[in-house]
Short mmCIF file of all heavy atoms in Angstrom, two decimals:
data_model
loop_
_atom_site.label_atom_id
_atom_site.label_comp_id
_atom_site.label_asym_id
_atom_site.label_seq_id
_atom_site.Cartn_x
_atom_site.Cartn_y
_atom_site.Cartn_z
N SER B 41 0.38 7.40 -14.02
CA SER B 41 1.17 8.50 -13.45
C SER B 41 1.61 8.21 -12.02
O SER B 41 2.57 8.81 -11.54
CB SER B 41 0.37 9.80 -13.50
OG SER B 41 -0.87 9.64 -12.84
N SER B 42 0.96 7.27 -11.37
CA SER B 42 1.36 6.89 -10.01
C SER B 42 2.71 6.18 -9.99
O SER B 42 3.37 6.11 -8.96
CB SER B 42 0.30 6.00 -9.38
OG SER B 42 0.14 4.82 -10.16
N GLY B 43 3.12 5.63 -11.13
CA GLY B 43 4.46 5.07 -11.24
C GLY B 43 4.57 3.56 -11.21
O GLY B 43 5.57 3.02 -11.68
N GLU B 44 3.60 2.87 -10.65
CA GLU B 44 3.74 1.43 -10.55
C GLU B 44 3.52 0.75 -11.89
O GLU B 44 2.65 1.14 -12.67
CB GLU B 44 2.74 0.87 -9.53
CG GLU B 44 2.92 -0.61 -9.24
CD GLU B 44 2.15 -1.06 -8.02
OE1 GLU B 44 1.61 -0.19 -7.30
OE2 GLU B 44 2.09 -2.28 -7.78
N MET B 45 4.30 -0.24 -12.19
CA MET B 45 4.19 -1.00 -13.43
C MET B 45 3.17 -2.12 -13.24
O MET B 45 3.32 -2.95 -12.34
CB MET B 45 5.54 -1.60 -13.82
CG MET B 45 6.62 -0.58 -14.06
SD MET B 45 6.49 0.14 -15.69
CE MET B 45 7.46 -1.03 -16.61
N ILE B 46 2.18 -2.14 -14.11
CA ILE B 46 1.09 -3.11 -14.00
C ILE B 46 1.15 -4.06 -15.19
O ILE B 46 1.12 -3.62 -16.34
CB ILE B 46 -0.27 -2.39 -13.98
CG1 ILE B 46 -0.32 -1.40 -12.80
CG2 ILE B 46 -1.42 -3.39 -13.90
CD1 ILE B 46 -1.47 -0.42 -12.89
N PHE B 47 1.21 -5.35 -14.91
CA PHE B 47 1.24 -6.35 -15.97
C PHE B 47 -0.10 -6.38 -16.69
O PHE B 47 -1.17 -6.38 -16.07
CB PHE B 47 1.54 -7.72 -15.37
CG PHE B 47 1.29 -8.86 -16.31
CD1 PHE B 47 2.17 -9.14 -17.33
CD2 PHE B 47 0.15 -9.65 -16.16
CE1 PHE B 47 1.92 -10.19 -18.20
CE2 PHE B 47 -0.10 -10.71 -17.02
CZ PHE B 47 0.79 -10.98 -18.04
N LEU B 48 -0.05 -6.43 -18.03
CA LEU B 48 -1.27 -6.48 -18.82
C LEU B 48 -1.48 -7.81 -19.52
O LEU B 48 -2.55 -8.41 -19.44
CB LEU B 48 -1.25 -5.37 -19.89
CG LEU B 48 -1.27 -3.93 -19.41
CD1 LEU B 48 -1.21 -3.00 -20.62
CD2 LEU B 48 -2.51 -3.66 -18.58
N ILE B 49 -0.45 -8.27 -20.24
CA ILE B 49 -0.65 -9.41 -21.11
C ILE B 49 0.69 -10.05 -21.46
O ILE B 49 1.73 -9.37 -21.46
CB ILE B 49 -1.41 -8.97 -22.39
CG1 ILE B 49 -1.98 -10.16 -23.15
CG2 ILE B 49 -0.53 -8.10 -23.28
CD1 ILE B 49 -3.00 -9.75 -24.22
N TYR B 50 0.64 -11.36 -21.72
CA TYR B 50 1.85 -12.13 -22.04
C TYR B 50 1.62 -12.96 -23.32
O TYR B 50 0.51 -13.48 -23.54
CB TYR B 50 2.18 -13.06 -20.88
CG TYR B 50 3.12 -14.18 -21.26
CD1 TYR B 50 4.49 -13.98 -21.32
CD2 TYR B 50 2.62 -15.46 -21.59
CE1 TYR B 50 5.36 -14.99 -21.68
CE2 TYR B 50 3.48 -16.48 -21.96
CZ TYR B 50 4.84 -16.24 -22.00
OH TYR B 50 5.69 -17.25 -22.38
N GLN B 51 2.69 -13.09 -24.11
CA GLN B 51 2.67 -13.96 -25.29
C GLN B 51 3.96 -14.75 -25.32
O GLN B 51 5.05 -14.17 -25.26
CB GLN B 51 2.56 -13.11 -26.57
CG GLN B 51 2.57 -13.90 -27.86
CD GLN B 51 1.20 -14.39 -28.24
OE1 GLN B 51 0.20 -13.70 -28.10
NE2 GLN B 51 1.12 -15.61 -28.77
N GLY B 52 3.85 -16.06 -25.41
CA GLY B 52 5.03 -16.89 -25.51
C GLY B 52 5.41 -17.11 -26.97
O GLY B 52 4.55 -17.11 -27.85
N SER B 53 6.68 -17.33 -27.20
CA SER B 53 7.16 -17.45 -28.58
C SER B 53 6.60 -18.69 -29.27
O SER B 53 6.53 -18.74 -30.50
CB SER B 53 8.69 -17.49 -28.61
OG SER B 53 9.18 -18.57 -27.83
N TYR B 54 6.19 -19.68 -28.51
CA TYR B 54 5.65 -20.90 -29.10
C TYR B 54 4.12 -20.89 -29.15
O TYR B 54 3.52 -21.84 -29.65
CB TYR B 54 6.13 -22.12 -28.33
CG TYR B 54 7.62 -22.35 -28.45
CD1 TYR B 54 8.45 -22.29 -27.33
CD2 TYR B 54 8.20 -22.63 -29.69
CE1 TYR B 54 9.81 -22.52 -27.45
CE2 TYR B 54 9.57 -22.85 -29.80
CZ TYR B 54 10.37 -22.79 -28.69
OH TYR B 54 11.72 -23.00 -28.80
N ASP B 55 3.52 -19.84 -28.63
CA ASP B 55 2.06 -19.78 -28.63
C ASP B 55 1.56 -19.51 -30.05
O ASP B 55 2.00 -18.55 -30.68
CB ASP B 55 1.56 -18.67 -27.69
CG ASP B 55 1.88 -18.96 -26.25
OD1 ASP B 55 2.16 -20.13 -25.93
OD2 ASP B 55 1.86 -18.01 -25.44
N GLU B 56 0.65 -20.35 -30.50
CA GLU B 56 0.16 -20.20 -31.87
C GLU B 56 -0.98 -19.19 -31.95
O GLU B 56 -1.21 -18.60 -33.00
CB GLU B 56 -0.29 -21.56 -32.41
CG GLU B 56 0.87 -22.53 -32.57
CD GLU B 56 0.45 -23.83 -33.23
OE1 GLU B 56 -0.77 -24.03 -33.43
OE2 GLU B 56 1.33 -24.65 -33.54
N GLN B 57 -1.69 -19.03 -30.86
CA GLN B 57 -2.80 -18.08 -30.87
C GLN B 57 -2.38 -16.79 -30.18
O GLN B 57 -1.58 -16.78 -29.25
CB GLN B 57 -4.01 -18.68 -30.14
CG GLN B 57 -4.63 -19.85 -30.89
CD GLN B 57 -6.03 -20.12 -30.41
OE1 GLN B 57 -6.39 -19.78 -29.30
NE2 GLN B 57 -6.85 -20.72 -31.26
N ASN B 58 -2.96 -15.69 -30.65
CA ASN B 58 -2.70 -14.41 -30.02
C ASN B 58 -3.32 -14.37 -28.63
O ASN B 58 -4.44 -14.83 -28.42
CB ASN B 58 -3.27 -13.27 -30.87
CG ASN B 58 -2.48 -13.05 -32.14
OD1 ASN B 58 -1.32 -13.45 -32.24
ND2 ASN B 58 -3.11 -12.42 -33.12
N ALA B 59 -2.58 -13.78 -27.69
CA ALA B 59 -3.07 -13.69 -26.32
C ALA B 59 -4.16 -12.63 -26.21
O ALA B 59 -4.13 -11.61 -26.91
CB ALA B 59 -1.92 -13.36 -25.39
N THR B 60 -5.11 -12.89 -25.33
CA THR B 60 -6.14 -11.89 -25.03
C THR B 60 -6.37 -11.86 -23.52
O THR B 60 -6.31 -12.90 -22.85
CB THR B 60 -7.47 -12.21 -25.73
OG1 THR B 60 -7.92 -13.50 -25.29
CG2 THR B 60 -7.33 -12.22 -27.24
N GLU B 61 -6.60 -10.66 -23.01
CA GLU B 61 -6.94 -10.46 -21.59
C GLU B 61 -7.94 -9.32 -21.52
O GLU B 61 -7.58 -8.15 -21.52
CB GLU B 61 -5.69 -10.08 -20.77
CG GLU B 61 -4.66 -11.16 -20.58
CD GLU B 61 -5.04 -12.19 -19.53
OE1 GLU B 61 -6.08 -11.99 -18.84
OE2 GLU B 61 -4.33 -13.19 -19.41
N GLY B 62 -9.21 -9.68 -21.50
CA GLY B 62 -10.25 -8.65 -21.44
C GLY B 62 -10.19 -7.75 -22.66
O GLY B 62 -10.31 -8.22 -23.78
N ARG B 63 -9.98 -6.44 -22.44
CA ARG B 63 -9.94 -5.49 -23.56
C ARG B 63 -8.57 -5.44 -24.24
O ARG B 63 -8.39 -4.71 -25.22
CB ARG B 63 -10.31 -4.09 -23.05
CG ARG B 63 -11.74 -3.95 -22.56
CD ARG B 63 -12.09 -2.51 -22.22
NE ARG B 63 -11.24 -1.98 -21.15
CZ ARG B 63 -10.32 -1.05 -21.33
NH1 ARG B 63 -10.09 -0.53 -22.53
NH2 ARG B 63 -9.61 -0.58 -20.30
N TYR B 64 -7.63 -6.19 -23.71
CA TYR B 64 -6.28 -6.20 -24.28
C TYR B 64 -6.08 -7.45 -25.13
O TYR B 64 -6.46 -8.55 -24.73
CB TYR B 64 -5.23 -6.19 -23.17
CG TYR B 64 -5.35 -5.05 -22.19
CD1 TYR B 64 -5.78 -5.27 -20.89
CD2 TYR B 64 -5.03 -3.75 -22.58
CE1 TYR B 64 -5.90 -4.23 -19.99
CE2 TYR B 64 -5.15 -2.70 -21.69
CZ TYR B 64 -5.58 -2.94 -20.39
OH TYR B 64 -5.70 -1.90 -19.50
N SER B 65 -5.48 -7.27 -26.27
CA SER B 65 -5.06 -8.40 -27.09
C SER B 65 -3.70 -8.09 -27.67
O SER B 65 -3.30 -6.93 -27.79
CB SER B 65 -6.08 -8.71 -28.19
OG SER B 65 -6.20 -7.59 -29.06
N LEU B 66 -2.98 -9.14 -27.98
CA LEU B 66 -1.63 -8.99 -28.50
C LEU B 66 -1.61 -9.54 -29.91
O LEU B 66 -1.92 -10.72 -30.12
CB LEU B 66 -0.64 -9.72 -27.59
CG LEU B 66 0.81 -9.28 -27.65
CD1 LEU B 66 1.51 -9.53 -26.32
CD2 LEU B 66 1.54 -9.98 -28.77
#
Side-chain angles (χ1 to χ4, degrees):
Chain B
S41 56
S42 60
E44 187 167 351
M45 299 280 272
I46 302 166
F47 167 76
L48 295 179
I49 196 166
Y50 162 82
Q51 178 86 40
S53 58
Y54 293 117
D55 295 341
E56 294 185 353
Q57 292 198 336
N58 288 339
T60 59
E61 291 283 353
R63 294 186 300 110
Y64 304 108
S65 61
L66 202 152

